[in-house]
Amino acid sequence: MKILVNINKVFHELLFQEDTDQDKKITKDDLGPKRFILVDEKTKAESVIEGTYHLANLLQELALLKDDKKEFCEIDLNRIQEEPVERISRKIREDYWNELTRTIDKKGLLQILEDEKTSNEIPTLYVSAKDKQGVKYFQDLENELKNFKVGVLPEDLSDEYIETLNAKPGILALALEQKLYSLQGVPFVVPGGRFNEMYGWDSYFIGIGLIIDKQLDKAKAIAENFKYQIVHYGKILNANRSYYLTRTQPPLYSSLLIEIVKQEVPDLKWLKSHVETVIVEYNTVWMVQGKRLTVTGLNRYKSDGVGMPFEVEPGHFDDVLEPYALKYNLPIREFEKRYLNRTLVDAELDEYFVHDRSLRESGHDTTNRLINTCANLNSVDINSFLYKYEKDIAYLIKEYFNNAFQMDDLLHTSEEWIQKANFRREKMNELCWNEESSMYFDYDFVNKKQFPFEAATTFFPLWAGMCSEHQAKKLMEVALPQFIKTGGITGSTKASNDNFPEDAPQRQWDYPFGWAPHQILLWEGLNNYGFFEKAQEMVYRWLWLITKNAFEYNGTIPEKFDLETSSHKVFAEYGNVGTEFDYISKEGFGWVNASYQYGLQILNDNLKLELNKLTVPGDLF
């Protein structure tokens, strides 16, 4: 049923009556009557809209219609009354992925360069000298548009050169492709909010969501941009900004390829080029002894670069810098300035930031598990990811290349990569598995002992298929209950969090916060080992949390949640991206969007019915 209304009139009347805290949303926190009457301008028939959720839907539909700049439009009551699960999933599928899609080309460059993190007076786009086509394209565009400048990066990027870019930061070019009439940027999907560039491990989870929502071409485009980054910048970057050139991200390239080939019979030339690039990344980024490969035979995160990471705002490290400012008898801002400029050097502080930069490479920025220790750890997460690389490469070589993959005069076989995976599993069992705790712990190879911090990364070996049946059962029965809250699993256990002082900074990847990648990898891991009922429960808990918050808070889909309060209202470092918008959320948040679509693929029909009713998980499990 549709109702003809005066859009601006109804919009302002609704806000005046129901948005009592004037935040341009209608939420459970507003104190209005939660009842609004719509009058059809043609028939004068009245329709009553009641409750926070339906009123917020009305506000969102009005906001969309206002964009058409018409005085009178029809409101579709079916959209107002839409069940919450269907509405969230439809918005992700039909709207959010498109809103989050970017290209770096003539059409899309302005959207990338107009970013709150751009500090140069004239925005700068950096292009690798290796990319001859890209250099010419963007230099021609620079002459045409006059509103940005192009910097050409040398083919060999030294740490010293990268450090010089800190004074003139900019965005890094990504892949171009020849279309019928012109070169165009290969698309990528950003996380959302202030994260307006292509992020490393976010992109894998986003790719899963895109594949589920029948946007396979965009998922393949992510793989193309992964390949471009490895070829031109030497690694899959934390994100495509100049100050991330020293830093990679958790490796999930091969996992994306596996998801893509599940959907269609691959073009073997296309697949070969990507398998070659995965192997290059494996060998040159991860398996260089003394860099990210350690004496144990296992890996670590180890970012390059020196000193404070450039991207943090002034004041972020005050608790770290204060004793050093006192040591040098300087005001803290003056000390920070000199330290950033490297006119003042302190070896002990430099060592701290080796670990800090490395934990940012891990994607877990930040967690007490990795503070001031990350580069000393054979972490469970990175070795789970690399085990999966080894198994994936073995599978792709056997399945698509007749177990003989020729590359640079070397013949790769499946057996070779299985052997690498078996070695890694044995070393993980030796150094990281703790039978007494029924968990995997990071191994401190400097001090030759486990670091017994109970983190959600303990479930990553389940996802990678690394566990024995015994280990999987122990993880599910003993470890998992220590992480479960009403809305999913926390980043760490409360017990581990309680080991740190009460006045210590609240780390966003620790208890009590919940993150989409942890949930997704847990669900896959549980299903890998046949724990299907527990997987259903864990999917329901997380989707209930997303649905509840969207239901009560005007469609909000945030970056992360506080699982102690089952809320998007997070009081930790960096705030919560995805919560700031006017009237309607137009993009959600990348990997939370993906987790919702993926979870709905797993969840059985009975639980979907309960989800629409917002049945509390405690009433079901």
Side-chain angles (χ1 to χ4, degrees):
M1 178 180 173
K2 295 184 178 181
I3 299 175
L4 184 69
V5 298
N6 182 316
I7 297 299
N8 280 319
K9 178 174 176 288
V10 174
F11 182 80
H12 291 296
E13 287 176 352
L14 178 65
L15 281 175
F16 180 77
Q17 177 182 300
E18 296 293 343
D19 180 22
T20 59
D21 60 7
Q22 299 183 339
D23 67 349
K24 301 180 180 178
K25 304 178 188 70
I26 296 174
T27 75
K28 66 175 291 187
D29 296 338
D30 287 305
L31 303 177
K34 302 292 168 108
R35 186 176 188 274
F36 187 82
I37 298 174
L38 274 179
V39 179
D40 191 306
E41 293 285 344
K42 187 185 295 184
T43 67
K44 303 305 177 185
E46 295 183 351
S47 298
V48 179
I49 311 298
E50 293 186 282
T52 297
Y53 170 68
H54 295 120
L55 291 167
N57 288 352
L58 174 58
L59 177 64
Q60 293 165 47
E61 296 302 316
L62 288 166
L64 288 173
L65 291 171
K66 272 175 65 67
D67 290 343
D68 293 338
K69 302 192 184 309
K70 294 179 181 177
E71 184 177 359
F72 294 93
C73 281
E74 288 185 323
I75 290 280
D76 188 345
L77 282 186
N78 290 327
R79 287 289 169 89
I80 310 301
Q81 303 294 338
E82 193 172 16
E83 293 279 22
V85 174
E86 284 67 38
R87 183 175 179 84
I88 294 167
S89 184
R90 177 181 62 80
K91 297 291 285 182
I92 293 168
R93 180 175 63 254
E94 295 180 359
D95 299 333
Y96 294 174
W97 294 133
N98 290 334
E99 288 287 341
L100 292 170
T101 299
R102 305 282 187 271
T103 56
I104 300 180
D105 54 17
K106 183 176 182 178
K107 181 180 178 182
L109 187 59
L110 191 61
Q111 190 177 11
I112 291 293
L113 293 176
E114 284 188 346
D115 184 280
E116 64 183 73
K117 297 186 293 297
T118 298
S119 57
N120 293 352
E121 188 174 332
I122 301 176
T124 302
L125 176 73
Y126 288 104
V127 192
S128 169
K130 296 178 189 176
D131 184 4
K132 310 295 185 191
Q133 175 182 254
V135 170
K136 182 180 187 310
Y137 174 84
F138 288 113
Q139 285 180 338
D140 289 347
L141 203 57
E142 178 187 24
N143 292 331
E144 178 184 345
L145 300 181
K146 310 292 187 186
N147 58 358
F148 79 103
K149 61 182 179 181
V150 173
V152 179
L153 300 174
E155 293 196 9
D156 296 316
L157 291 165
S158 67
D159 288 350
E160 293 74 21
Y161 174 80
I162 293 169
E163 191 174 334
T164 68
L165 301 179
N166 287 346
K168 44 185 178 179
I171 202 79
L172 300 172
L174 294 175
L176 294 165
E177 58 184 341
Q178 184 65 52
K179 293 294 190 178
L180 188 58
Y181 297 111
S182 64
L183 280 172
Q184 294 179 17
V186 173
F188 56 99
V189 180
V190 303
R194 70 173 181 266
F195 300 121
N196 190 40
E197 52 273 286
M198 181 177 174
Y199 278 80
W201 73 322
D202 294 66
S203 293
Y204 165 70
F205 297 102
I206 287 168
I208 290 176
L210 291 169
I211 289 170
I212 290 167
D213 286 335
K214 311 301 182 188
Q215 299 191 44
L216 181 62
D217 284 348
K218 283 186 182 175
K220 292 173 75 173
I222 290 172
E224 287 300 311
N225 279 314
F226 278 171
K227 181 172 78 171
Y228 181 92
Q229 290 181 48
I230 291 165
V231 170
H232 294 94
Y233 306 125
K235 58 180 74 71
I236 294 173
L237 301 168
N238 183 163
N240 60 312
R241 286 193 175 274
S242 56
Y243 43 75
Y244 292 137
L245 281 165
T246 59
R247 191 185 310 166
T248 187
Q249 280 271 275
L252 287 156
Y253 185 5
S254 71
S255 294
L256 180 61
L257 295 181
I258 294 291
E259 295 303 319
I260 289 169
V261 300
K262 284 180 185 176
Q263 302 304 311
E264 65 177 17
V265 177
D267 175 275
L268 289 185
K269 182 179 178 183
W270 180 90
L271 184 59
K272 185 174 191 295
S273 74
H274 283 281
V275 174
E276 286 175 346
T277 316
V278 169
I279 292 173
V280 167
E281 184 205 12
Y282 176 89
N283 287 328
T284 62
V285 176
W286 296 107
M287 301 305 287
V288 178
Q289 186 69 52
K291 293 277 192 174
R292 294 178 180 89
L293 177 62
T294 73
V295 292
T296 62
L298 294 179
N299 290 78
R300 62 174 172 173
Y301 292 107
K302 176 62 167 65
S303 175
D304 295 321
V306 180
M308 287 173 63
F310 183 82
E311 72 268 22
V312 301
E313 59 282 345
H316 179 81
F317 287 111
D318 279 3
D319 61 316
V320 176
L321 299 181
E322 186 175 10
Y324 293 93
L326 290 172
K327 174 181 174 181
Y328 292 99
N329 196 28
L330 289 170
I332 194 165
R333 293 283 78 82
E334 179 63 22
F335 174 81
E336 181 179 48
K337 179 182 175 182
R338 293 192 195 182
Y339 184 71
L340 267 173
N341 294 337
R342 306 301 291 164
T343 56
L344 189 158
V345 174
D346 186 285
E348 182 181 53
L349 190 55
D350 283 353
E351 181 66 20
Y352 176 90
F353 284 115
V354 167
H355 297 300
D356 183 86
R357 286 168 171 267
S358 299
L359 76 82
R360 294 171 192 279
E361 182 171 271
S362 80
H364 288 82
D365 47 334
T366 64
T367 164
N368 283 314
R369 174 171 69 98
L370 302 177
I371 293 287
N372 209 18
T373 190
C374 183
N376 293 346
L377 298 178
N378 294 139
S379 65
V380 174
D381 36 336
I382 184 54
N383 287 287
S384 298
F385 289 133
L386 290 175
Y387 177 85
K388 180 74 158 42
Y389 256 42
E390 290 153 353
K391 293 297 290 289
D392 287 346
I393 293 168
Y395 168 80
L396 292 168
I397 288 173
K398 184 175 182 180
E399 188 72 16
Y400 295 100
F401 299 100
N402 297 316
N403 203 22
F405 190 82
Q406 193 73 37
M407 178 181 169
D408 296 333
D409 299 325
L410 290 175
L411 184 67
H412 293 272
T413 65
S414 174
E415 289 77 15
E416 165 198 347
W417 288 92
I418 291 292
Q419 189 176 1
K420 293 176 190 290
N422 289 341
F423 170 80
R424 189 177 301 277
R425 183 178 60 211
E426 290 167 8
K427 295 303 292 186
M428 286 281 284
N429 285 338
E430 175 191 342
L431 300 177
C432 299
W433 174 250
N434 189 299
E435 179 69 17
E436 183 180 351
S437 298
S438 299
M439 292 189 198
Y440 289 91
F441 292 133
D442 302 332
Y443 181 74
D444 183 338
F445 63 88
V446 174
N447 295 300
K448 298 182 178 171
K449 61 180 181 180
Q450 288 183 350
F451 186 64
F453 186 94
E454 298 166 346
T457 49
T458 193
F459 304 112
F460 287 17
L462 274 179
W463 165 81
M466 186 189 294
C467 306
S468 67
E469 296 296 329
H470 167 76
Q471 289 168 323
K473 192 167 186 289
K474 297 271 277 187
L475 282 166
M476 201 274 287
E477 293 180 350
V478 181
L480 183 55
Q482 299 176 59
F483 293 84
I484 295 176
K485 301 295 285 186
T486 304
I489 59 166
T490 51
S492 69
T493 64
K494 189 174 188 301
S496 277
N497 202 61
D498 287 346
N499 289 332
F500 294 87
E502 285 188 15
D503 60 351
Q506 179 67 72
R507 306 296 182 187
Q508 63 174 356
W509 282 89
D510 292 343
Y511 184 91
F513 304 117
W515 291 79
H518 288 168
Q519 320 301 319
I520 292 171
L521 297 181
L522 172 67
W523 304 340
E524 289 195 30
L526 291 170
N527 279 330
N528 282 346
Y529 286 87
F531 302 124
F532 302 120
E533 286 188 18
K534 182 56 72 171
Q536 290 285 308
E537 174 191 335
M538 300 313 301
V539 169
Y540 185 89
R541 288 181 180 279
W542 182 250
L543 297 196
W544 169 84
L545 179 62
I546 297 171
T547 308
K548 170 182 175 290
N549 274 268
F551 186 94
E552 295 177 343
Y553 287 93
N554 210 107
T556 296
I557 297 182
E559 174 191 28
K560 56 184 176 284
F561 291 94
D562 183 330
L563 297 194
E564 215 166 43
T565 59
S566 296
S567 172
H568 69 276
K569 295 181 179 180
V570 167
F571 301 98
E573 54 192 348
Y574 308 121
N576 203 2
V577 181
T579 60
E580 298 296 326
F581 57 86
D582 292 343
Y583 313 121
I584 180 170
S585 171
K586 292 188 175 181
E587 57 186 28
F589 192 84
W591 58 23
V592 181
N593 298 343
S595 72
Y596 202 80
Q597 304 300 69
Y598 181 56
L600 287 177
Q601 294 285 300
I602 300 173
L603 204 63
N604 67 47
D605 289 342
N606 289 335
L607 287 178
K608 286 178 187 174
L609 292 174
E610 298 296 338
L611 192 59
N612 264 322
K613 294 187 286 187
L614 290 181
T615 303
V616 177
D619 294 343
L620 297 172
F621 307 107

